[in-house]
Amino acid sequence: MDETLSLIDERVLRGQFTQHVVVNVAKIVNMRSDTQLADSVRDCDIINIDGMGVVWAGRLLGRDIPERVAGVDLFEKLIALAATRGFPVYFLGGTDDVVKRTAAVLVTRHPELKIAGTHHGYFWSDEKSVVDQIRTCGAKLLFVAISSPKKEIFINRWQRELGVDFVMGVGGTFDVMAGVVQRAPKWMQNWGMEWLFRVIQEPRRMWRRYLVTNGKFALMLIKERLSMKSASSS
């Protein structure tokens, strides 16, 4: 986390554009069939793992993964950094009420935080006007709270026209900040069970998504392990 935060700070201070993304089990699975999503993720300058399932799978496959970097935790640290540094921020996504409540909550926590603008996430008939608004508002950091794969594809499509130094997709973070949904308890986060907490909160919308993606990811992991064993024994 500290390494990621420091790197983002350095790049923003240099005015070096940075596109950031976090990956989890669902995103990795969906990247295999969605080429636009896959290309958008690969084009990012910083990729963090948000999901203990991916951390454990990577370690099982012999990858050196020091820790999980949860998107919502990184978001909160970046907001604190922006307030300290005087970096203006822009919030894009969620309903109009949620994005405005998110801004209000964060300004209450960080009175020195500069909000360059906000916009809800339902703008797909006129993306260009939203991009123009972001580019001319003076924001340095842009946070996009839209579901995957829309946010990744949107960010990648317009990255050079956004006029910001840093852009990050934050999924349902605004809902958490605004108090619309609760985040899983710390013990569930540590045990990789945040997905279960989300299913409990929104069973109709989430159960099928996690059942399918978790199952596919498990099969991918098994195949990779078998492939590694076969290669090492030949």
Side-chain angles (χ1 to χ4, degrees):
M1 175 69 79
D2 291 341
E3 182 182 359
T4 297
L5 192 64
S6 178
L7 178 58
I8 293 169
D9 186 27
E10 291 172 7
R11 290 174 68 101
V12 174
L13 287 171
R14 290 199 303 264
Q16 183 178 3
F17 177 76
T18 303
Q19 185 177 348
H20 175 278
V21 71
V22 294
V23 294
N24 54 22
V25 165
K27 197 171 295 183
I28 289 174
V29 169
N30 292 330
M31 283 171 63
R32 293 172 66 88
S33 58
D34 188 330
T35 56
Q36 274 190 294
L37 174 61
D39 290 343
S40 298
V41 171
R42 293 190 186 104
D43 281 347
C44 288
D45 303 288
I46 300 175
I47 301 174
N48 286 134
I49 295 174
D50 183 354
M52 286 306 300
V54 181
V55 172
W56 291 331
R59 290 171 179 171
L60 185 63
L61 297 175
R63 305 295 192 270
D64 182 18
I65 302 173
E67 65 175 344
R68 168 198 183 201
V69 178
V72 63
D73 293 334
L74 179 59
F75 170 79
E76 291 191 84
K77 288 183 178 294
L78 286 170
I79 291 298
L81 176 68
T84 301
R85 292 288 198 193
F87 298 151
V89 302
Y90 193 103
F91 298 140
L92 174 65
T95 64
D96 194 54
D97 178 59
V98 163
V99 70
K100 287 177 179 176
R101 284 165 61 186
T102 296
V105 166
L106 292 172
V107 167
T108 299
R109 294 182 187 176
H110 306 279
E112 65 276 35
L113 182 66
K114 298 177 181 178
I115 306 291
T118 65
H119 197 287
H120 61 75
Y122 305 93
F123 56 87
W124 303 108
S125 62
D126 195 6
E127 291 183 42
K128 184 65 165 60
S129 67
V130 174
V131 171
D132 290 342
Q133 183 184 130
I134 295 168
R135 186 176 60 252
T136 58
C137 74
K140 281 187 171 292
L141 277 61
L142 168 64
F143 298 99
V144 183
I146 298 170
S147 60
S148 183
K150 281 187 175 182
K151 66 177 178 295
E152 290 86 4
I153 294 171
F154 168 81
I155 291 169
N156 202 48
R157 179 187 299 131
W158 296 103
Q159 54 174 299
R160 298 302 173 185
E161 297 181 49
L162 292 167
V164 298
D165 294 325
F166 174 81
V167 57
M168 172 186 180
V170 294
T173 295
F174 291 178
D175 286 335
V176 175
M177 294 294 110
V180 175
V181 299
Q182 289 183 305
R183 195 177 177 194
K186 197 68 178 178
W187 69 268
M188 294 188 81
Q189 297 176 40
N190 294 338
W191 284 95
M193 297 174 66
E194 280 186 288
W195 65 271
L196 179 58
F197 191 79
R198 291 193 66 188
V199 170
I200 292 170
Q201 289 191 94
E202 302 178 87
R204 290 185 179 180
R205 191 167 76 90
M206 292 295 180
W207 77 268
R208 182 176 177 81
R209 167 186 163 183
Y210 283 113
L211 177 66
V212 171
T213 55
N214 286 0
K216 288 182 178 179
F217 187 76
L219 288 175
M220 289 165 57
L221 180 58
I222 291 169
K223 288 179 181 179
E224 185 63 23
R225 280 285 293 171
L226 291 174
S227 177
M228 290 172 64
K229 285 185 177 182
S230 176
S232 63
S233 61
S234 61

